[in-house]
Amino acid sequence: MKYAFPLAAVIALVLCALILVQIPGMQYLFGVVIPYLAMALFLGGFCYKVILWGKSPVPFKIPTTCGQGYSLPWIKHDKLEAPVNAAQVVARMFLEIVLFRSLWRNTKATVYAGPKLTYESSKWLWLFGIMFHYSFLLIVIRHMRLFLDPVPGLVSFVEIGDSLLQIGAPAMYMTDVTIVLALLFLFGRRLTNPQVRYISLTNDYFPLFLILGIVLTGILMRFFLRADVDINAIKELAVGLVTFSPTITVKISSLFYVHLFLVCTLLAYFPFSKLMHMGGVFLSPTRNLANDSRMKRHINPWNPEIKPHSYAAYEDEFREDMVEQGIPVEKELPSQG
């Protein structure tokens, strides 16, 4: 089972924090030192990766096109699937980043009895992917109330909207439910889909278990072990961290340190994992380039002085070999008379 080691690793992280935080003085390590180190790794690693990708040359224009490109005036041009200018590229990337539009394409190949090959969209993956990403975003925004004083109106608005159903006391946040459902679906998909299970690796399962651990410890603190959690002490620590004057009090529960340690692990792991698609999607040449290679010559940054090489010149150079291999040519070899 490929997921056994990642699951054991997350459980080990939980037990490590739960045991070590009982030792006097270790609260400062888990509450101050590790958060600062994790944030430094996150910011440093994120910036390093983005700068590295931004400096990488793009020798070819390779935008992914799934529609009719721009050609003759009477042929309808698919502006989103084959953009030819900056405005169309921005519109395409906006829909991809905000709404995951590509998951609606018929790119999922499935073989049914018959045999019958069909191409379908990934609507269930789209739904739970949207649920996960936007739930995660809203949870992060909600947590800003711990770091900011006074709390901005936007944060209060998001918190009120998230608890609109008013289920129980304290009010149940809808995102707590949706993110757990989304994580369970994403994990179950890797177990039940043979193709996805085959290509799934340790670094695919570890983030799922790590984020699930963060969510579950947060839910435990809010709904089941609320009496052991002093929210004022946590806010005092959070505000102290962002103002570089942290204060540790004995009122903070051990479960909070476990929760915080898992968050720090996620931050430190983030820049070196597949989670970096959050920054990489903006720099992907398959998305951020216009499909105008027939309208403008793309200069290869690796070799900007390269001369154009037409097909006629290519055939003149390799005609004899092409004929020998049975490849059709436009101009036959000269006769040996």
Side-chain angles (χ1 to χ4, degrees), residues 12-79:
L13 290 173
V14 172
L15 294 177
C16 176
L18 201 57
I19 294 172
L20 292 180
V21 79
Q22 307 299 328
I23 302 174
M26 294 301 286
Q27 295 87 356
Y28 189 84
L29 174 67
F30 282 90
V32 179
V33 178
I34 291 178
Y36 279 141
L37 288 176
M39 184 56 69
L41 278 173
F42 173 75
L43 294 176
F46 197 101
C47 292
Y48 171 76
K49 281 292 186 69
V50 170
I51 292 172
L52 181 67
W53 290 335
K55 291 169 62 177
S56 299
V58 182
F60 303 103
K61 274 207 169 181
I62 54 172
T64 303
T65 56
C66 304
Q68 176 63 49
Y70 179 83
S71 57
L72 299 172
W74 60 84
I75 299 178
K76 185 177 180 181
H77 168 217
D78 193 330
K79 297 180 180 180

Side-chain angles (χ1 to χ4, degrees), residues 110-135:
T110 306
V111 178
Y112 293 99
K116 181 181 180 182
L117 177 64
T118 65
Y119 292 92
E120 307 165 1
S121 63
S122 303
K123 292 185 178 64
W124 284 110
L125 178 59
W126 171 85
L127 175 63
F128 284 94
I130 285 282
M131 285 171 54
F132 169 74
H133 285 85
Y134 279 100
S135 296

Side-chain angles (χ1 to χ4, degrees), residues 99-119:
L99 297 176
F100 305 170
R101 182 173 176 271
S102 62
L103 292 177
W104 283 80
R105 299 193 189 111
N106 293 328
T107 54
K108 184 178 73 174
T110 306
V111 178
Y112 293 99
K116 181 181 180 182
L117 177 64
T118 65
Y119 292 92

Side-chain angles (χ1 to χ4, degrees), residues 30 55 69 82 87-88 96-97 116 121 125 146 156 167 182 191 199 204 219 268 271 275 299 336:
F30 282 90
K55 291 169 62 177
Q88 293 171 10
E96 179 66 26
I97 294 167
K116 181 181 180 182
S121 63
L125 178 59
L146 297 173
S156 299
I167 300 175
L191 295 182
I199 64 174
D204 293 306
I219 291 174
L275 299 174
I299 303 299
Q336 302 296 325

Side-chain angles (χ1 to χ4, degrees), residues 226-286:
R226 188 176 177 84
D228 300 329
V229 178
D230 189 329
I231 192 65
N232 293 322
I234 292 174
K235 184 175 178 75
E236 183 180 353
L237 171 61
V239 172
L241 286 172
V242 297
T243 57
F244 298 101
S245 56
T247 301
I248 298 290
T249 69
V250 294
K251 299 178 182 179
I252 301 178
S253 71
S254 300
L255 186 58
F256 168 76
Y257 287 111
V258 173
H259 181 72
L260 181 60
F261 183 56
L262 293 179
V263 172
C264 292
T265 304
L266 179 64
L267 287 174
Y269 175 73
F270 196 103
F272 313 101
S273 69
K274 293 183 178 181
L275 299 174
M276 265 303 293
H277 66 263
M278 184 179 79
V281 66
F282 295 95
L283 301 172
S284 172
T286 61

